[in-house]
Amino acid sequence: MPPTMVQIKLPDGSIKEFPDGIRPRDVAAGIGKRLADAAVAAVADGTIVDLDRPLENGTTDAVEMRILTPRDREALDVLRHSTAHIMARAIMRLFPGVRLAFGPTTANGFYYDVEVDGRSLSESDFAAIEDEMAKIVKDAEPFERFSLPVEDARQFVADLGQDLKVEHIDGELHKYGILSFYRQGEFVDLCRGPHIPNAGKVGAFKLLSIAGAYWKGRTDRKMLQRVYGTAFFDKKELDAYLAQVEEARRRDHRKIGKELGLFTISPLVGKGLILWMPKGATVRGLLETFMKAELLKRGYQPVYTPHIGKIDLYQCSGHYPKYRDAQFPPLKMLTDDAAKELLDGLHAGTVDEAAQRTLLARAGIPERLPEKPLDGESPRAYSKSFFEMTDGEKIAYLEANCDYEEYLLKPMNCPHHIQIYAAEPRSYRDLPLRLAEFGTVYRYEQSGELSGLTRVRGFTQDDAHLFCTHDQVKDEFKSTMELTQFVLSSLGLGDYKIRLSKHDPSDPKFQGVDGDIWRRAEDEIAAVLDEMKLPYFVGTGEAAFYGPKVDFIVRDCLGREWQLGTVQLDYVLPERFKLEYIGQDNHLHRPVMIHRAPFGSLERFFGILIEHFAGAFPLWLAPEQVRVLPISDKVADYAGDVLHRLLAAGFRATLDHRPEKINAKIRYAQLEKIPVMLVVGAKEAEQEAVAYRDRTAGDLGAMPLAQAIARIQREVEERTMPQVAPLAAAAEAEEKAEGHEY
């Protein structure tokens, strides 16, 4: 009987037949020795697998396969996951009795959560751990996969003393019939893989940091230690990445923000609540002015909305039920003024019995109410009347029986803008209606997730909502895309990718909305992107709960990626709020909404700008554009005249009149990132000139003051951007969810 064969489809489109169960390693060897030597793993029908994983003929279709080598981004993830195992093995050698949790890859490396008996790991342990890892890499032992039935697997990890793995099997993995393990020497770990063929493939690695981490991310579980590291196929790549990390530390917006006096966070105000200092507020104001001018050109109308709203508004929109845990607790407000006055007076002890009777009557609250029954019981009267109660009992009585309204700190601007639309009858002639606001919203982020300006609890969005007819959708969506492109390019952030964020039909987040509506909206966005000839990739499950969107993933000068601008298409909220307009046919129709925010959050955008420019903002955006530097007091009067001329021309300028030498004054200005320094001495005063010094270009020589002012004016009007050279990165940072590799 002839052996069963499996067909393999290679990247060049060719299809070859091999014996059933052939390994990717053997396929690579059949192609060539060089490929076999470079092979790290393989992709079979879209799944990354080990080189030793048998390829079997489960269907009549050919298995699409490609071999991964160090040139492939997916190979780097395999390498890093394997290095996480190597690190865990080294830690267990050095500290017996270690219990392992999870060891996934991250965007730029890996970590492993561990529990060590009797001590805490610290960065002082890194050298010893790295030495042990180097021994493991040198030995180049293979990663060997084996599988066990789930009950046997549970007993196996229990015998190893790995209690966390036992709990993970009992809680999440027991539903699987078979669980896989990987063995490397004496080290065995419960893991789905895949892994590199042997530890010798690791070219370079580095442990980076250590932090606390709750088991499975739950604050009610035990605290573990999370050891972070990274790995590459080549030491040059590691060195480039470490240089990138160091440069990122130097550019940290929290550090620069403090040095330049841009913003602060006060513990008395609260975590995640930003105080914009004068220099930072100046930059923010310039960004707002820049955006508002563009919006007016493009037919937007400004609106303002309050910082709070009734909880009913957000329940109708769907924001409150879907994101309740990420919002501040509701504010309860008494609806009756007399009841509030009575309750406040009882708390303060300032209201006598006569006043209590008056206020109780005005509030319409009887002195005695039926007691709220327990389940299955009949109503009972309170045992006391109001005036037989203590003050504490009176307060409890009122709180239980008064009417309240609940308010939320505004989590989103869109429900408020919807109410502005709904405030007047609308005709098709009124559409598109474009409402714009720099609206501040509030989200209750967990303390551990807060980070300077980039993760806060109160932030301002450059928000706008467009209400249009179905026929206007594509043109309006295109115009918002063009606006976002213009804004990002104007601010030196023109290096971006575009993600079409679609819904995931299997995710409960997107349930309750007709699938045809989702498909229509997604098709309309794709049509706009195709018409604009914009390359994009699809992010399934990344849509907003009310509609698909386009996200701009911006890469800064360090190669890091940030999600900034967003444009969203929404057929859902107009339906929820029953919005209408009268069409040409004189019938009522439902408008379509477009949500858009080119900056996203001003706080986050500003933090990214600080790091992108390392605090050295372009001239038109700098909080202080020009500093006049007199060489001595003898030219103080002329230096004052220069400052006056600059201020009259509309520049943000100052005068350094300190009794310092000119080199010290230049140094101070450079440290404070001042774009232009105008040095004046006796010669300049005599000729009504200045010595022009540029922050990056250096000394440009003497020139007439009028010429210097014209030069500054031209650069401001043209919004000239400094050349920000990207740092060579070892690997592109990619948005990647951390996955438990069990």
Side-chain angles (χ1 to χ4, degrees):
M1 185 174 182
T4 305
M5 305 298 286
V6 60
Q7 290 186 325
I8 306 292
K9 184 177 181 180
L10 299 174
D12 62 2
S14 63
I15 297 178
K16 298 185 178 181
E17 282 197 342
F18 297 91
D20 199 27
I22 191 167
R23 303 174 303 168
R25 177 193 303 280
D26 299 323
V27 176
I31 296 173
K33 185 176 183 305
R34 181 178 297 180
L35 179 62
D37 291 342
V40 173
V43 179
D45 284 339
T47 301
I48 302 176
V49 298
D50 304 314
L51 289 177
D52 287 322
R53 182 74 65 89
L55 300 176
E56 298 171 341
N57 186 9
T59 69
T60 56
D61 297 329
V63 176
E64 293 191 22
M65 195 200 75
R66 60 188 174 94
I67 300 296
L68 297 179
T69 72
R71 294 183 179 182
D72 297 295
R73 180 62 179 82
E74 303 103 313
L76 192 57
D77 286 337
V78 177
L79 177 87
R80 287 170 172 170
H81 181 44
S82 300
T83 311
H85 278 228
I86 292 170
M87 180 183 73
R89 182 182 180 187
I91 292 173
M92 294 187 75
R93 281 183 176 182
L94 295 170
F95 309 102
V98 170
R99 284 170 293 283
L100 304 175
F102 298 126
T105 58
T106 64
N108 291 303
F110 59 86
Y111 67 77
Y112 216 119
D113 290 345
V114 299
E115 184 180 29
V116 183
D117 279 334
R119 63 162 293 167
S120 294
L121 298 177
S122 69
E123 293 189 10
S124 63
D125 296 310
F126 282 4
I129 297 171
E130 288 176 340
D131 285 345
E132 200 63 39
M133 290 173 68
K135 295 175 186 176
I136 295 170
V137 170
K138 184 179 179 181
D139 289 342
E141 292 174 295
F143 283 87
E144 300 171 327
R145 186 178 189 273
F146 66 93
S147 300
L148 292 173
V150 65
E151 289 302 323
D152 293 344
R154 185 190 188 284
Q155 187 60 52
F156 184 76
V157 294
D159 292 343
L160 292 174
Q162 294 297 330
D163 298 340
L164 298 176
K165 301 286 187 181
V166 172
E167 184 180 335
H168 189 41
I169 292 174
D170 290 343
E172 297 178 34
L173 303 183
H174 64 276
K175 58 188 176 183
Y176 299 106
I178 301 292
L179 297 180
S180 61
F181 291 80
Y182 280 83
R183 184 194 310 277
Q184 195 201 29
E186 82 285 359
F187 178 77
V188 183
D189 197 7
L190 175 68
C191 180
R192 71 165 61 95
H195 284 285
I196 55 179
N198 63 73
K201 288 283 187 181
V202 180
F205 60 85
K206 181 71 176 174
L207 301 191
L208 301 174
S209 62
I210 193 166
Y214 289 107
W215 168 230
K216 294 198 174 183
R218 289 173 48 182
T219 56
D220 59 342
R221 308 303 297 273
K222 66 172 64 178
M223 177 69 76
L224 307 174
Q225 290 188 278
R226 179 169 292 179
V227 185
Y228 288 94
T230 192
F232 292 89
F233 288 103
D234 183 86
K235 189 174 185 303
K236 289 181 181 179
E237 293 175 337
L238 173 63
D239 291 342
Y241 173 73
L242 294 178
Q244 182 189 47
V245 170
E246 186 56 39
E247 181 66 11
R249 287 198 186 103
R250 190 179 73 82
R251 290 171 178 260
D252 190 319
H253 73 277
R254 294 165 295 187
K255 172 177 174 288
I256 293 176
K258 183 176 182 180
E259 292 170 350
L260 299 183
L262 300 173
F263 70 94
T264 188
I265 300 172
S266 165
L268 287 177
V269 175
K271 294 179 179 179
L273 300 173
I274 305 302
L275 300 172
W276 294 75
M277 299 173 75
K279 289 183 178 180
T282 298
V283 179
R284 171 175 169 161
L286 290 165
L287 290 171
E288 291 183 2
T289 300
F290 162 69
M291 179 63 77
K292 287 175 180 177
E294 280 303 312
L295 295 183
L296 287 175
K297 293 177 189 175
R298 296 166 187 259
Y300 285 78
Q301 300 180 56
V303 296
Y304 292 97
T305 60
H307 288 248
I308 64 172
K310 287 179 65 174
I311 199 169
D312 312 61
L313 178 68
Y314 310 111
Q315 287 174 329
C316 183
S317 70
H319 290 102
Y320 184 66
K322 288 184 182 295
Y323 303 115
R324 180 181 303 184
D325 294 341
Q327 296 174 18
F328 281 85
L331 306 170
K332 293 184 69 175
M333 308 286 288
L334 282 165
T335 59
D336 187 274
D337 292 340
K340 183 178 186 306
E341 186 178 345
L342 176 55
L343 198 56
D344 290 345
L346 288 170
H347 277 293
T350 58
V351 59
D352 60 24
E353 184 173 316
Q356 291 176 33
R357 288 185 183 278
T358 300
L359 292 171
L360 201 65
R362 279 173 49 196
I365 301 173
E367 294 181 16
R368 189 190 303 268
L369 288 177
E371 185 176 1
K372 292 183 178 179
L374 300 174
D375 289 343
E377 292 185 348
S378 300
R380 296 170 296 176
Y382 277 101
S383 58
K384 299 178 183 178
S385 75
F386 185 82
F387 294 101
E388 295 172 334
M389 300 178 186
T390 65
D391 283 355
E393 290 172 332
K394 290 177 180 178
I395 290 170
Y397 178 86
L398 290 171
E399 288 179 342
N401 294 290
C402 290
D403 291 329
Y404 287 87
E405 287 182 335
E406 288 188 295
Y407 289 81
L408 277 183
L409 288 175
K410 180 171 60 174
M412 287 284 187
N413 296 305
C414 40
H416 293 249
H417 292 187
I418 286 171
Q419 295 309 299
I420 292 175
Y421 176 93
E424 301 175 10
R426 304 289 179 180
S427 161
Y428 71 94
R429 294 186 180 89
D430 302 321
L431 305 183
L433 178 67
R434 308 179 186 99
L435 304 179
E437 174 184 19
F438 282 87
T440 302
V441 297
Y442 302 89
R443 314 276 174 80
Y444 192 79
E445 302 283 0
Q446 297 298 314
S447 295
E449 296 176 339
L450 299 174
S451 179
L453 292 168
T454 56
R455 199 72 180 265
V456 295
R457 286 177 172 164
F459 56 93
T460 301
Q461 295 176 308
D462 61 321
D463 225 346
H465 296 92
L466 294 77
F467 301 84
C468 61
T469 69
H470 294 273
D471 293 339
Q472 295 168 337
V473 165
K474 288 184 179 178
D475 286 343
E476 289 302 305
F477 202 92
K478 180 181 178 182
S479 71
T480 58
M481 291 286 295
E482 290 170 343
L483 171 63
T484 305
Q485 290 176 296
F486 170 77
V487 168
L488 294 176
S489 297
S490 297
L491 290 160
L493 296 171
D495 183 7
Y496 53 77
K497 311 189 284 195
I498 291 176
R499 179 178 68 207
L500 171 51
S501 296
K502 294 187 174 184
H503 80 301
D504 179 354
S506 65
D507 189 335
K509 170 183 173 181
F510 305 107
Q511 303 305 310
V513 180
D514 190 304
D516 289 339
I517 292 177
W518 277 103
R519 283 186 288 276
R520 173 179 183 172
E522 290 167 356
D523 289 346
E524 287 173 333
I525 294 178
V528 171
L529 295 176
D530 292 338
E531 181 183 324
M532 297 178 72
K533 295 181 170 54
L534 294 174
Y536 63 91
F537 67 99
V538 173
T540 301
E542 297 292 337
F545 75 88
Y546 46 75
K549 56 180 178 155
V550 167
D551 295 314
F552 286 77
I553 314 297
V554 176
R555 179 159 37 205
D556 66 13
C557 66
L558 296 182
R560 299 170 303 181
E561 293 183 343
W562 307 87
Q563 181 182 323
L564 291 179
T566 184
V567 185
Q568 307 171 357
L569 185 56
D570 180 4
Y571 283 86
V572 174
L573 292 188
E575 184 65 36
R576 283 178 177 268
F577 285 96
K578 306 302 179 188
L579 300 183
E580 296 175 337
Y581 70 90
I582 299 173
Q584 285 181 287
D585 58 3
N586 212 32
H587 289 89
L588 292 175
H589 298 270
R590 195 78 73 213
V592 184
M593 278 183 72
I594 295 175
H595 309 239
R596 69 109 196 95
F599 290 151
S601 152
L602 272 172
E603 285 74 7
R604 190 164 187 257
F605 193 89
F606 185 44
I608 292 165
L609 277 186
I610 292 172
E611 297 191 3
H612 183 67
F613 292 118
F617 296 105
L619 179 61
W620 71 273
L621 200 55
E624 183 181 343
Q625 295 171 305
V626 189
R627 184 170 293 179
V628 182
L629 307 178
I631 291 177
S632 69
D633 288 342
K634 294 179 182 179
V635 293
D637 289 344
Y638 177 64
D641 290 342
V642 172
L643 176 64
H644 179 74
R645 290 272 300 275
L646 291 167
L647 294 174
F651 300 127
R652 297 178 294 280
T654 62
L655 170 63
D656 187 346
H657 48 66
R658 292 174 296 178
E660 301 275 0
K661 292 187 179 297
I662 191 62
N663 286 343
K665 291 182 179 181
I666 291 172
R667 182 172 178 274
Y668 293 143
Q670 287 284 159
L671 290 174
E672 293 177 47
K673 317 288 188 184
I674 310 302
V676 176
M677 293 149 269
L678 300 182
V679 180
V680 295
K683 183 177 179 181
E684 286 78 19
E686 183 180 334
Q687 298 176 355
E688 199 170 333
V690 293
Y692 195 111
R693 187 175 187 86
D694 183 87
R695 179 178 57 204
T696 54
D699 186 7
L700 300 182
M703 64 181 69
L705 176 57
Q707 181 182 338
I709 289 176
R711 179 190 179 101
I712 297 168
Q713 188 69 51
R714 183 173 63 254
E715 192 170 330
V716 169
E717 290 175 353
E718 294 175 355
R719 296 198 185 99
T720 304
M721 303 300 297
Q723 293 297 315
V724 182
L727 188 73
E732 288 187 6
E734 293 186 355
E735 288 195 340
K736 178 178 182 297
E738 295 172 358
H740 288 163
E741 312 292 352
Y742 75 76

